[in-house]
Amino acid sequence: MSESVKTMDKILESYSAKVMKNRKKHMLVVDHQEEKQKIDANTRTIPGIITNRGCCYAGCKGVVIGPVVDMVHITHGPIGCGYYSWGTRRNKGKAREGGKNFLAYSFNTDMQESDIVFGGDKKLAKAIQEAYDIFKPKAISVSATCPVGLIGDDIHMVAKQASQKLGIPVLSFSCEGYKGVSQSAGHHIANNKLMTDVVGTNDDYEPKEFSINILGEYNIGGDEWEITRVLNKIGYHVITTMTGNAAIDEMAAAHKADLNLIQCHRSINYIGDMIEKKYGIPWLKVNFIGVKAFTQSLRDMAKYFDNPQLTKRTEEVIKQELGEIKEDIAKYKAMCDGKTAMLFVGGSRAHHYQGMLKEIGMDTILAGYEFAHRDDYEGRDIIPDIKLDADSRNIEEIEVDQDEQKYRLRLSKEKYEALKKEIPLSNYEGMISEMADGMIAIDDINHYETEIFVKVLKPDFFGSGIKDKYIIQKMGVYSKQMHSYDYAGPYAGFKGAVNFARDVAAGVNTSAWQYIIAPWKKEPSLAGKIGVE
Amino acid sequence: MLDYTPKEITERKALNVNPAKTCQPIGAMYAALGINKCLPHSHGSQGCCSYHRMHLTRHFRDPIVASTSSFTEGACVFGGKSNLVKGIQNVFNIYNPDIIAVNTTCLSETIGDDVGEFIRDSKVPEGKRVIYANTPSYAGSHVTGFSNMCKSMVTQIAESTMGEGNNGKVNIMPGFVEPSDMKEIKRIAEEIGMDYTMYPDTSDVVNTPNTGKYDMYPEGGTSVEAIRESGDAMATVALGKYTSEEAAFKLEHKCKVAPYVLKVPLGIKATDAMIFKFIELTGKSVPKALEKERGQLVDLMVDVHHHYHGKKVAIFGDPDIVTAMTEFVIDLGMIPKYVLTGTPGKVFAKDIYHMLENAGIEGSSVKSEGDLFELHQWIKNEPVDLIIGNTYGKYIARAENIPLVRVGFPILDRVGHSYFPVVGYMGAMRLIEKISTAFLDKYDQECADEDFELVM
């Protein structure tokens, strides 16, 4: 029996029967010989288990809505939620020419006891007015926090009235923290509103040739800028990125593109699907992380557009970019070769970084998500199998219809079907499909499991978040933050690959590791020798 | 940077922009970490717990572990009892702390969960404890949450067992300060030879060494037994009105231990006052070592007084720290032009105005329940030479080209603060070094070549 299986069993055995029964379904050792393996995901967190998960508000305001640069994002609630999501996710942004960028600000209604008792609607309406008077933004968002739903504040009505009065969009999100079981519910709620109220509302926009959108890319540490640098060089025109460095007018023109690229499937697949249905734009699952994956994605894009010049330019740019980074990657590979890694990241990166790690000679032995769904693990073909449970049933599912005026078929049905066999067109195979036999896939890993897996499997690298980082490093294992990139980046694209390789090489090899055990604990004591000679 | 903050100040009644406070439970979580082998537990939806852990981790660059009840929508309707009862059971089964310290959030407070009753109905293993504090996020600030958890330590753990007598110990309640500050206050007490119990005490909990072995419950933190015995102490020295006063008063009420409320010992005057109180209580004399430190501090104040004399400064942060900092700044000959906290409460402004009046300083703005947007607007209207506050001050510092000295919570962008104190004479010297360096660095960067000096 492999060490992985033994460790998994040991962990499960130490749990109470109930916890064991639950956790058992959330972990597996990958075995592609078996018929398709099933993993439980997107179920409620076990109280007291010490999860890494956050909440629906974090998924909506913190992840999807917050990065839009020219909107004022108001948190309706007590001060904490708005405060903790202020400047902590590194979604970079710049003001457009003549536009504004509010990312350095945190806007809050700062609810007090009297607001809980008498309702906060009036304060919210006033806060929106004050924000408008002072900042004159292009649009405003309102995100609800836990108590808002409980006391029955009607934020949608307040937003609607404010929007009519001020003449700008005021988007309201019922993303109370208790909704769903994780950040994931918040993604869904944000997607719904962006789809119904924003996408498709800007018809003045003139798309250029090879117009695309990048979906589920939040420009952490400048990732999006590195990606678009390369895409622009090839000849693509990015209308909007949702939502890293996004501007509202650009998002509103998303329906003018000919292809949507999806980086983070979990957070944005809803919009990807809905845009396809409503406007006829297919989406392509891409991966900008790692040289090989990025190169592959660029080639898939070229196949989609099937234009000789674009294809030629794609290969030229790939060749040129590879030439520039080859030596650096080789240098860092030499420093990391043969080492092992574990990855535990939100809902997408635990998959996306495996190839990159492999390129610098590191095998991923365990990978998992905080809040991904079964399709992110097992692939989209199992979606019909997924049953909504009581905790997620209240997350609104919206239906969109084909827009008679704006719908345009981008590819013939035959071409579409043919391409689907070659490239991941409107499809995602999931993380497990790319994992090797014997690797562990684990969902919603907790503190206890993390500690045991690190102790027993002794990885050289653990890519996770800030809450894990120092726990793992106290065990003598390098832990890199894969959410914030430890304040570095970009990690996407060609130059990002070098940055990532350099940072991992530095972290794994930093000389501090050799000092953890004091010399007097390693060598026989010299005490008592003085004076004896 | 912050390009849309206008100079013109308009009244805001509803919108808070760039807060100078955060919410209660994080303070309670921090206080709970100051108990040995304690696991803080957040009774709410799990987002709060993650945010609080994250934020403390970013500040200390050390593991901050806590559990949560992980509310779902159903629990909001039916109450969070089952979540808490199961949570407590799972925590003891899997993580085995000596004590769980539960804090609440705006969620469980709004639905009215009776946490005390839930705990009474929970299975708590023999010899283990669960305490709780109600920490509604819509009242006060993180400072209030810290104070509330300290109060709960008193009401739910401390006992008086000796009748009329006392065990000769002094309780020290250090307030919401760094582990390095707690360590420095303990060192001063030890130098004096005072028998003491400090709680909470996060030193050696949130600034642990790297030994290659992770210990979920590090050696630091005040033991439950020591907190229990604090009811037998001869006196309580409570440092900081906002963080420590109420706990000390509770202990007086419950166990008749005399409370003495002093400032957080930041700066020379506040440190003098604390040491004076220690010797008054114990009848001991001040040891040479401390007198020497004090003399060194005075020497430094004299040597470089010209670095900061007459300089205008904006100070913001948590009320106890800001109050002490304002006093020290006045002693350095600086002018506290703007003094602001996000935490509500009237005592703050009263104390600051009193100090300003005594120093003959006029024209300063003082505000509680303020935010950093307003502070920035004040600065735009009349600039200052220095900002003293937490990391969030860096946006204003950059926008207005004013040096920032980082003091308080949180410091997210610099390292070392959990190892070096700002309290005591040593801490005061460190602050002078920081303030002087901030001024001199700016001068070095900006002066003309012919004014560039070797010796300063």
Side-chain angles (χ1 to χ4, degrees):
Chain A
M1 198 166 30
S2 77
E3 201 65 31
S4 301
V5 177
K6 264 193 274 180
T7 312
M8 245 171 61
D9 288 346
K10 196 183 132 198
I11 287 168
L12 290 168
E13 275 163 29
S14 68
Y15 283 138
S16 68
K18 247 187 170 165
V19 172
M20 176 173 109
K21 198 173 155 226
N22 179 312
R23 289 302 302 152
K24 199 175 169 150
K25 296 186 217 150
H26 292 264
M27 49 180 96
L28 58 85
V29 175
V30 174
D31 180 356
H32 291 295
Q33 303 307 309
E34 260 188 57
E35 63 179 301
K36 196 145 182 176
Q37 289 176 295
K38 186 185 167 211
I39 190 164
D40 237 12
N42 191 35
T43 62
R44 68 169 64 168
T45 315
I46 301 170
I49 200 85
I50 310 192
T51 178
N52 271 336
R53 284 174 166 181
C55 66
C56 181
Y57 164 86
C60 178
K61 192 270 183 179
V63 172
V64 182
I65 297 302
V68 183
V69 299
D70 55 357
M71 289 175 71
V72 160
H73 303 291
I74 298 176
T75 298
H76 185 39
I79 203 68
C81 309
Y83 172 90
Y84 299 114
S85 56
W86 171 24
T88 44
R89 254 174 76 83
R90 299 180 57 243
N91 42 260
K92 295 190 172 208
K94 278 185 200 158
R96 305 297 187 269
E97 219 182 304
K100 290 174 182 173
N101 167 14
F102 297 107
L103 291 187
Y105 292 90
S106 164
F107 306 95
N108 306 275
T109 56
D110 187 17
M111 287 175 94
Q112 298 298 304
E113 200 144 16
S114 56
D115 304 314
I116 301 293
V117 177
F118 302 109
D121 302 43
K122 287 204 185 83
K123 192 176 194 184
L124 175 61
K126 194 172 270 171
I128 294 171
Q129 183 70 48
E130 288 174 359
Y132 179 77
D133 292 343
I134 298 170
F135 297 99
K136 298 280 178 331
K138 283 215 163 139
I140 292 173
S141 78
V142 175
S143 293
T145 62
C146 287
V148 171
L150 303 171
I151 63 172
D153 273 0
D154 189 350
I155 62 164
H156 304 297
M157 182 57 80
V158 174
K160 199 175 153 195
Q161 285 167 351
S163 179
Q164 281 163 359
K165 187 174 167 199
L166 305 175
I168 58 165
V170 181
L171 310 177
S172 49
F173 299 90
S174 285
C175 54
E176 285 86 350
Y178 54 75
K179 291 211 169 142
V181 297
S182 68
Q183 290 93 312
S184 178
H187 303 149
H188 198 162
I189 288 166
N191 273 235
N192 288 351
K193 182 76 74 179
L194 284 180
M195 189 61 206
T196 54
D197 289 29
V198 180
V199 172
T201 57
N202 180 358
D203 281 318
D204 301 335
Y205 192 94
E206 284 299 328
K208 300 191 176 100
E209 204 184 6
F210 309 125
S211 277
I212 54 173
N213 303 312
I214 307 175
L215 307 186
E217 165 51 53
Y218 302 98
N219 200 27
I220 305 295
D223 275 353
E224 192 250 8
W225 291 328
E226 167 60 10
I227 296 160
T228 43
R229 179 186 69 80
V230 176
L231 295 180
N232 291 340
K233 211 162 140 186
I234 293 172
Y236 291 104
H237 173 70
V238 178
I239 295 179
T240 189
T241 298
M242 288 191 201
T243 53
N245 187 39
I248 185 142
D249 289 347
E250 293 162 9
M251 289 197 297
H255 62 300
K256 301 261 177 173
D258 288 324
L259 177 66
N260 281 325
L261 309 178
I262 289 196
Q263 171 68 12
C264 172
H265 175 261
R266 181 69 266 134
S267 67
I268 214 83
N269 76 88
Y270 315 95
I271 284 184
D273 274 349
M274 288 189 279
I275 290 183
E276 179 161 11
K277 198 165 173 200
K278 190 169 179 182
Y279 302 107
I281 310 172
W283 59 266
L284 178 71
K285 180 69 188 81
V286 291
N287 182 9
F288 302 125
I289 305 299
V291 178
K292 226 168 135 185
F294 190 29
T295 307
Q296 184 63 47
S297 291
L298 294 175
R299 288 181 175 142
D300 289 350
M301 290 168 67
K303 269 190 190 142
Y304 174 87
F305 282 101
D306 196 18
N307 172 292
Q309 253 106 34
L310 192 77
T311 306
K312 185 168 163 257
R313 188 70 188 137
T314 300
E315 292 306 325
E316 280 168 8
V317 169
I318 290 172
K319 196 176 166 207
Q320 188 191 354
E321 294 280 336
L322 287 183
E324 282 173 29
I325 62 168
K326 219 169 53 193
E327 269 176 46
D328 282 339
I329 297 281
K331 179 172 80 185
Y332 298 126
K333 184 176 186 219
M335 294 169 75
C336 299
D337 215 13
K339 296 192 188 292
T340 56
M342 291 186 183
L343 285 170
F344 184 71
V345 209
S348 110
R349 291 191 184 103
H351 177 193
H352 292 141
Y353 275 84
Q354 290 185 25
M356 173 76 236
L357 285 163
K358 189 88 197 158
E359 283 166 36
I360 51 171
M362 293 175 74
D363 278 327
T364 305
I365 53 174
L366 174 150
Y369 295 128
E370 276 174 50
F371 51 73
H373 299 195
R374 280 183 58 205
D375 41 324
D376 305 295
Y377 287 102
E378 301 173 45
R380 281 182 72 92
D381 54 340
I382 58 96
I383 287 179
D385 278 0
I386 298 179
K387 286 182 200 73
L388 277 185
D389 68 7
D391 296 317
S392 298
R393 205 166 291 142
N394 295 337
I395 309 304
E396 194 191 9
E397 297 270 357
I398 59 167
E399 284 294 326
V400 294
D401 295 322
Q402 197 167 311
D403 187 310
E404 280 172 25
Q405 269 115 51
K406 298 177 194 172
Y407 185 90
R408 185 162 56 80
L409 206 58
R410 265 60 175 191
L411 294 176
S412 70
K413 203 159 167 43
E414 300 71 47
K415 179 100 193 267
Y416 184 90
E417 290 306 326
L419 260 182
K420 233 172 141 36
K421 294 196 179 87
E422 283 184 70
I423 62 176
L425 200 58
S426 304
N427 191 31
Y428 176 43
E429 298 271 359
M431 176 172 83
I432 292 175
S433 72
E434 276 196 56
M435 290 170 75
D437 283 350
M439 290 166 66
I440 297 171
I442 187 162
D443 178 65
D444 188 21
I445 198 173
N446 57 53
H447 180 93
Y448 173 71
E449 291 163 7
T450 304
E451 208 185 318
I452 305 266
F453 277 125
V454 170
K455 253 187 212 158
V456 177
L457 302 180
K458 298 186 179 67
D460 300 288
F461 168 94
F462 196 121
S464 187
I466 181 71
K467 297 191 293 293
D468 277 347
K469 180 179 175 77
Y470 301 102
I471 294 163
I472 290 153
Q473 291 192 163
K474 297 274 183 201
M475 293 191 241
V477 174
Y478 173 56
S479 179
K480 170 150 207 60
Q481 295 183 62
M482 298 308 303
H483 300 264
S484 74
Y485 304 168
D486 286 317
Y487 327 110
Y491 283 168
F494 295 117
K495 289 188 178 163
V498 175
N499 290 339
F500 179 76
R502 180 197 60 226
D503 292 352
V504 173
V508 170
N509 293 293
T510 189
S511 56
W513 298 120
Q514 62 187 306
Y515 291 104
I516 285 182
I517 312 295
W520 49 88
K521 294 204 168 156
K522 283 193 270 196
E523 316 240 336
S525 173
L526 301 175
K529 273 197 178 171
I530 292 168
V532 174
E533 280 173 80
Chain B
M1 186 53 60
L2 300 179
D3 294 339
Y4 319 109
T5 303
K7 191 174 168 186
E8 189 202 342
I9 299 174
T10 47
E11 194 192 19
R12 278 177 293 132
K13 281 193 167 150
L15 186 71
N16 173 302
V17 186
N18 296 357
K21 65 170 178 187
T22 181
C23 64
Q24 283 210 37
I26 193 174
M29 186 182 279
Y30 182 53
L33 290 167
I35 305 175
N36 183 244
K37 293 194 171 59
C38 175
L39 190 74
H41 181 93
S42 168
H43 185 55
S45 53
Q46 67 210 9
C48 310
C49 186
S50 273
Y51 273 146
H52 300 145
R53 290 179 61 198
M54 250 181 224
H55 209 64
L56 289 167
T57 303
R58 285 183 175 128
H59 176 84
F60 293 111
R61 293 173 200 255
D62 234 41
I64 303 292
V65 184
S67 56
T68 162
S69 295
S70 294
F71 269 65
T72 56
E73 192 154 12
C76 299
V77 179
F78 302 111
K81 181 167 182 172
S82 145
N83 292 57
L84 186 59
V85 171
K86 274 188 212 156
I88 287 171
Q89 199 172 349
N90 286 333
V91 165
F92 280 124
N93 279 348
I94 303 167
Y95 296 109
N96 196 30
D98 280 359
I99 175 169
I100 298 173
V102 180
N103 62 66
T104 60
T105 67
C106 47
L107 171 52
S108 52
E109 287 294 328
T110 302
I111 64 174
D113 271 0
D114 185 348
V115 175
E117 192 244 17
F118 297 174
I119 292 170
R120 277 190 294 280
D121 287 349
S122 298
K123 274 185 220 141
V124 179
E126 185 75 25
K128 306 281 182 178
R129 265 173 186 270
V130 182
I131 64 168
Y132 74 98
N134 291 106
T135 50
S137 314
Y138 44 76
S141 74
H142 58 296
V143 171
T144 322
F146 182 90
S147 167
N148 282 340
M149 186 52 85
C150 293
K151 260 194 299 191
S152 294
M153 292 177 200
V154 170
T155 55
Q156 294 166 52
I157 304 176
E159 280 174 35
S160 146
T161 60
M162 299 177 71
E164 293 296 297
N166 69 61
N167 61 13
K169 286 188 184 178
V170 172
N171 297 322
I172 305 173
M173 294 178 177
F176 199 141
V177 293
E178 297 273 348
S180 46
D181 294 324
M182 297 183 187
K183 188 177 165 194
E184 178 66 5
I185 295 165
K186 289 194 289 185
R187 185 185 68 87
I188 291 170
E190 278 156 26
E191 289 276 358
I192 290 170
M194 184 173 93
D195 213 357
Y196 66 89
T197 301
M198 175 183 281
Y199 72 93
D201 178 6
T202 59
S203 55
D204 297 323
V205 181
V206 296
N207 57 356
T208 57
N210 194 325
T211 59
K213 278 188 191 138
Y214 168 68
D215 193 354
M216 188 167 172
Y217 305 107
E219 65 175 63
T222 314
S223 70
V224 172
E225 189 51 25
I227 298 173
R228 194 179 72 84
E229 286 172 5
S230 71
D232 292 327
M234 63 187 284
T236 300
V237 175
L239 303 171
K241 282 183 188 171
Y242 280 77
T243 46
S244 305
E245 184 177 78
E246 285 198 41
F249 286 173
K250 283 267 178 214
L251 193 60
E252 183 193 26
H253 183 74
K254 188 179 180 188
C255 304
K256 300 197 173 55
V257 180
Y260 298 94
V261 182
L262 305 177
K263 286 196 188 76
V264 169
L266 186 154
I268 187 163
K269 208 177 272 168
T271 305
D272 282 351
M274 183 185 75
I275 290 174
F276 201 75
K277 183 53 72 185
F278 285 174
I279 58 170
E280 202 178 84
L281 288 169
T282 56
K284 305 213 185 234
S285 51
V286 178
K288 279 236 158 56
L290 286 182
E291 281 192 356
K292 191 160 116 187
E293 282 169 21
R294 188 179 185 281
Q296 287 167 331
L297 167 61
V298 174
D299 194 54
L300 196 52
M301 287 169 73
V302 172
D303 290 347
V304 297
H305 68 275
H306 56 291
H307 289 178
Y308 35 72
H309 179 81
K311 295 270 166 60
K312 282 182 279 184
V313 54
I315 308 171
F316 74 92
D318 300 340
D320 291 342
I321 304 289
V322 171
T323 303
M325 194 71 224
T326 304
E327 183 175 72
F328 187 41
V329 154
I330 292 171
D331 277 331
L332 293 177
M334 298 167 82
I335 299 162
K337 181 75 191 154
Y338 308 120
V339 187
L340 180 139
T341 182
T343 297
K346 292 206 168 76
V347 184
F348 173 76
K350 208 177 126 202
D351 284 353
I352 303 288
Y353 277 124
H354 189 68
M355 283 191 271
L356 292 170
E357 200 179 316
N358 282 349
I361 297 167
E362 287 173 1
S364 294
S365 303
V366 182
K367 190 166 185 181
S368 62
E369 287 185 79
D371 59 25
L372 297 185
F373 182 77
E374 183 162 17
L375 180 69
H376 190 186
Q377 289 185 308
W378 289 347
I379 290 172
K380 277 185 177 291
N381 282 282
E382 194 183 337
V384 290
D385 303 296
L386 182 72
I387 302 171
I388 298 176
N390 63 33
T391 284
Y392 293 97
K394 77 188 290 181
Y395 294 91
I396 304 175
R398 180 177 163 98
E400 305 300 329
N401 187 26
I402 299 166
L404 169 70
V405 168
R406 287 163 178 79
V407 176
F409 176 83
I411 297 172
L412 307 169
D413 62 336
R414 295 291 186 271
V415 295
H417 47 87
S418 51
Y419 297 102
F420 305 102
V422 293
V423 302
Y425 302 128
M426 297 304 289
M429 280 190 263
R430 179 165 169 250
L431 283 173
I432 289 179
E433 191 200 359
K434 276 177 175 273
I435 292 170
S436 284
T437 302
F439 285 134
L440 300 180
D441 280 350
K442 185 170 195 288
Y443 180 87
D444 279 350
Q445 271 167 22
E446 294 179 353
C447 71
D449 277 358
E450 60 273 27
D451 293 327
F452 195 66
E453 301 275 353
L454 177 69
V455 185
M456 293 173 92

